[in-house]
Each structure stands twice: as C-alpha cells, then as structure tokens.
Amino acid sequence: MASSSIIDHAKQPLPPTPASVTAQYSTHASGRGLFVSPSKPEGFSIGETVLQIVRPMVAIPDDQNLDKCCSWCLVWVGDGDGEDLGGKSKKAEGYGDPEEQEREEERKKVKINLKKCTGCKVVWYCSPACQKLDWLHGPHKHECPIFSALHPRILPVSVRSLVRLLLLHKYKHGVPLSGRPVEDKGKWWEEEVLAMEAHEEKYDNEMITLMSLAAEKYSGTKIGLRGVKELYCRILLNSFAISAPLPQDEGVYSSTTQKQHTTIGNLFDPLAALINHSCAPNCVLEFCGREVVVTCIRPVRVGEELTFSYIDEKGKGLEERRRELEERWFFLCRCEKCLEEERGTVKKLDDRWDGDAGLGSARIVELE
C-alpha cells in the first residue's frame, strides 16, 4: 500500500490493472494509488464492484487456523475433524480457472471436511482439487519438503508468506494476477513486488535479520540477504488480515461489518495494496475465501482516487487515528477528513464520513 513517506517512486513501473481503474501517483500520499479510469466516464455507484482479484499473489492461513482452513480456497470450518490427504505424491498439471469452478462444485456436493497433506503434515485442504491448485500455483510442491523437514516446528505466518513469495520468484511461476496474462512470467517481480514500499529502517533490524536468514536458507533464493530483508519488510507493511464469518453467517464479508468474524489468514498482493488509506473511505475491501473484492460505499467520480480505511476509525479523534496509522504504517494521514479536522472546519463527524449503512472496510493487522 502506498503511504505518505517521502520516497521517490517516479521511476518504478506501475502494475497492470483492470480497464476501469488506473494506477498513478496519489494526490494526498507520496506513493502510488488506484484511480477511476477515463475509460469509466460514469464512475462507480454505491455497491458497484471496483476491483476483483480471484487469485491474489499470496493468501495463506495464519498459525492458529492451519488445521481449520483450506490452504488454497481458505474456506474456514472452525473446529471440524480432518483426515490425511496424500501430499507430495500427487502432482497437478494443467490446472487453471476451470478447475476453480470444478473445486467449487465439488465443495457444494459434499460436506466440507479438511484433509491434511501427508507430505508436510502442516497444511490442510477441503478437496483434491484445492490440493492440486495449491501444488501448481501455490507453489506447495516446493514448500512441502521444507515444511516436512521442519515438522513439528511450524514457521510463523509472516515467514511462510516470505518463503512462498521467494519460491514463486525462484521457480519463475506465472502469478495469475488481475490484468496480467498467466503466460507473462517475466516482469511481475520487478513491476509489482519490488515497486512496493518497505520502510526497512522502521523495523527491528535484529528480528528482521533472523527471520530473513531463515527464509533465505529454506527457500534457497539467490537474491541475497539484503534483498530478502527488504522483501520481508514489504510483506510486514503491506499484508492484509483475512477474516471469515462465524457460524450462521455466509457470503462475502469484511472485518468491520455488523457480523461476528474471526481472523483466519493473511494476504499479500501488490494490486490490492495500491489502494490508499482514508479516514473517509469511498470503498470497502472484502474477502470471499481467498478472493478479494473492492466495492464502492459512496459514488466515485472519474479521476477520483479509490480508498478504504486501514483501521476502525469510528469514534476516534484526529490524534488517535493519526497515532495508530503512524505507529503501524509510518505515515501521517492527510486525508480530507483529517485536514478538515485539523483546520477546525468540521463541527461534528457527520454521515459524510460513515459510508453506506451496514458496510465497513477491512482492517489490516500486524503480522507475527
């Protein structure tokens, strides 16, 4: 995600985006952001989907939900029973989006029962289709022997995210991101990952070094410790918390709606991370399994920047919001709402800042 830090990204290429939105440099932050494209002259209306990412770059269960959540589709089954499922011996070949539909149909026909990968004994799946997709696109076939050698020790979710990203780079996987063909394998690393901010100087260098050394060793990457440390900081700064509704709630959900939710995993995706923060957001970022859906909560005009709130800002004053954002994401918020409050021109927090009734925005939480 872009922040208000003073870093020149003018020479960094911008990642591909759907035609209705465009990536450019933010008007209220020094980094990049997503704006409504001129190809969408009518703009977006309330409830309209702005962005949909079917396969984010990295989306995995957190440490507490490895045995409660499918490691590919991220369906959460709570404390349900599970069984063993053959891991390393089953290779997936040629799986793509049609298999996503096949997996969904399979889930609808049977009661969800997670099964453990017998190769590493760490990750679980709701179906053979999900296992095959993770084997090919995850890429679990490369991390499975790593997890197996470490078992019963399990790497924390932030390091598992780092190892997975390094493996994607090492084996030149065509990461199927929104707006880029699966066949285009050459530029996603430079144009999408390395263009993200890291703020390495803001983190505990000893902790970053220890975690990065482990990831460098396990992944076998050749980018060097310095590159691994910078990548780890990008993950820490730009990851999203994925939430799931508690029983009796179904469908698309966000972590700040009125439903009861639990955090089940973490997501790292450069395109989603382009959306900047605002204390007066015009969008909500939601999850349906591993899928990311960005929806408007108020009308957005052509040329206007798309934003959502990184925090639960309701009931918090200017100083409290800015302190929380600066401590976690290292920027001083200068959104419209904050500037008006700073000037004393806002008499009260009226409905302009609350979005559409019943909708909220997904919060981002710090990784372990």
Side-chain angles (χ1 to χ4, degrees):
M1 68 206 57
S3 73
S4 297
S5 61
I6 305 175
I7 294 180
D8 183 13
H9 287 259
K11 295 183 179 180
Q12 294 284 8
L14 298 173
T17 56
S20 58
V21 297
T22 181
Q24 61 189 62
Y25 292 94
S26 175
T27 54
H28 74 276
S30 63
R32 304 166 298 160
L34 281 186
F35 293 74
V36 181
S37 169
S39 64
K40 180 77 171 174
E42 71 277 20
F44 290 96
S45 58
I46 294 175
E48 190 172 357
T49 298
V50 176
L51 184 66
Q52 190 169 7
I53 305 175
V54 176
R55 288 190 188 173
M57 188 172 285
V58 175
I60 59 174
D62 60 26
D63 303 345
Q64 293 75 29
N65 288 281
L66 277 166
D67 60 348
K68 303 178 180 67
C69 184
C70 176
S71 282
W72 178 253
C73 71
L74 296 182
V75 62
W76 184 71
V77 298
D79 295 315
D81 296 329
E83 301 174 2
D84 285 346
L85 179 70
K88 292 189 288 184
S89 61
K90 296 188 177 182
K91 297 184 179 180
E93 296 181 1
Y95 278 77
D97 288 333
E99 280 63 40
E100 292 277 13
Q101 299 175 5
E102 175 188 332
R103 183 262 304 162
E104 188 64 26
E105 291 302 316
E106 184 175 340
R107 281 182 50 202
K108 290 177 181 178
K109 293 177 183 177
V110 297
K111 182 179 179 181
I112 296 174
N113 184 36
L114 297 184
K115 297 182 179 181
K116 179 170 54 179
C117 171
T118 56
C120 64
K121 298 179 173 62
V122 172
V123 301
W124 296 65
Y125 299 103
C126 68
S127 68
C130 275
Q131 182 199 16
K132 292 176 182 179
L133 285 164
D134 198 25
W135 192 265
L136 178 65
H137 297 295
H140 186 60
K141 67 179 177 181
H142 300 300
E143 68 182 8
C144 190
I146 298 171
F147 293 170
S148 178
L150 289 169
H151 192 269
R153 293 177 296 153
I154 297 175
L155 297 173
V157 64
S158 61
V159 181
R160 283 189 283 116
S161 297
L162 177 58
V163 168
R164 177 161 281 215
L165 195 54
L166 289 168
L167 291 173
L168 284 170
H169 177 248
K170 179 180 178 181
Y171 293 101
K172 303 289 192 297
H173 280 255
V175 183
L177 301 177
S178 297
R180 182 184 292 285
V182 177
E183 296 80 17
D184 188 353
K185 303 179 182 181
K187 297 183 178 180
W188 66 271
W189 183 258
E190 292 80 7
E191 294 188 2
E192 301 181 26
V193 177
L194 299 187
M196 303 174 77
E197 295 186 10
H199 288 306
E200 183 184 351
E201 75 284 355
K202 301 288 187 178
Y203 290 100
D204 181 338
N205 184 62
E206 183 177 357
M207 182 274 291
I208 296 296
T209 300
L210 287 174
M211 297 295 189
S212 300
L213 281 168
E216 182 184 30
K217 173 184 176 181
Y218 299 139
S219 67
T221 181
K222 302 300 182 183
I223 70 172
L225 180 58
R226 175 72 179 178
V228 176
K229 289 171 66 175
E230 290 179 351
L231 186 61
Y232 188 40
C233 291
R234 288 184 175 96
I235 290 173
L236 293 175
L237 184 66
N238 294 282
S239 288
F240 297 77
I242 302 172
S243 61
L246 293 173
Q248 84 255 4
D249 284 328
E250 297 180 355
V252 177
Y253 39 84
S254 73
S255 61
T256 56
T257 59
Q258 299 302 311
K259 299 178 181 180
Q260 296 295 313
H261 293 79
T262 183
T263 298
I264 63 168
N266 289 280
L267 176 142
F268 175 82
D269 186 84
L271 183 55
L274 276 175
I275 306 176
N276 277 318
H277 165 83
S278 173
C279 298
N282 52 32
C283 291
V284 56
L285 187 149
E286 302 173 305
F287 301 97
C288 185
R290 69 184 289 111
E291 187 172 322
V292 181
V293 181
V294 179
T295 308
C296 280
I297 58 174
R298 63 176 176 81
V300 186
R301 302 182 300 274
V302 62
E304 187 176 351
E305 184 173 5
L306 301 167
T307 60
F308 77 99
S309 180
Y310 294 179
I311 61 173
D312 183 2
E313 79 285 347
K314 292 183 179 180
K316 297 178 181 178
L318 172 64
E319 296 304 319
E320 185 178 0
R321 296 196 310 271
R322 281 184 164 177
R323 182 172 59 252
E324 185 174 348
L325 290 164
E326 194 159 14
E327 288 176 354
R328 173 63 181 88
W329 292 282
F330 316 123
F331 70 90
L332 178 69
C333 184
R334 300 187 64 79
C335 70
E336 181 185 0
K337 179 178 180 180
C338 286
L339 290 178
E340 288 198 9
E341 288 187 29
E342 189 175 52
R343 291 191 296 261
T345 56
V346 176
K347 302 297 183 182
K348 64 177 181 176
L349 301 183
D350 57 35
D351 292 339
R352 287 182 300 157
W353 310 123
D354 292 334
D356 191 40
L359 291 176
S361 55
R363 294 188 295 272
I364 309 173
V365 300
E366 191 163 3
L367 297 183
E368 298 176 0

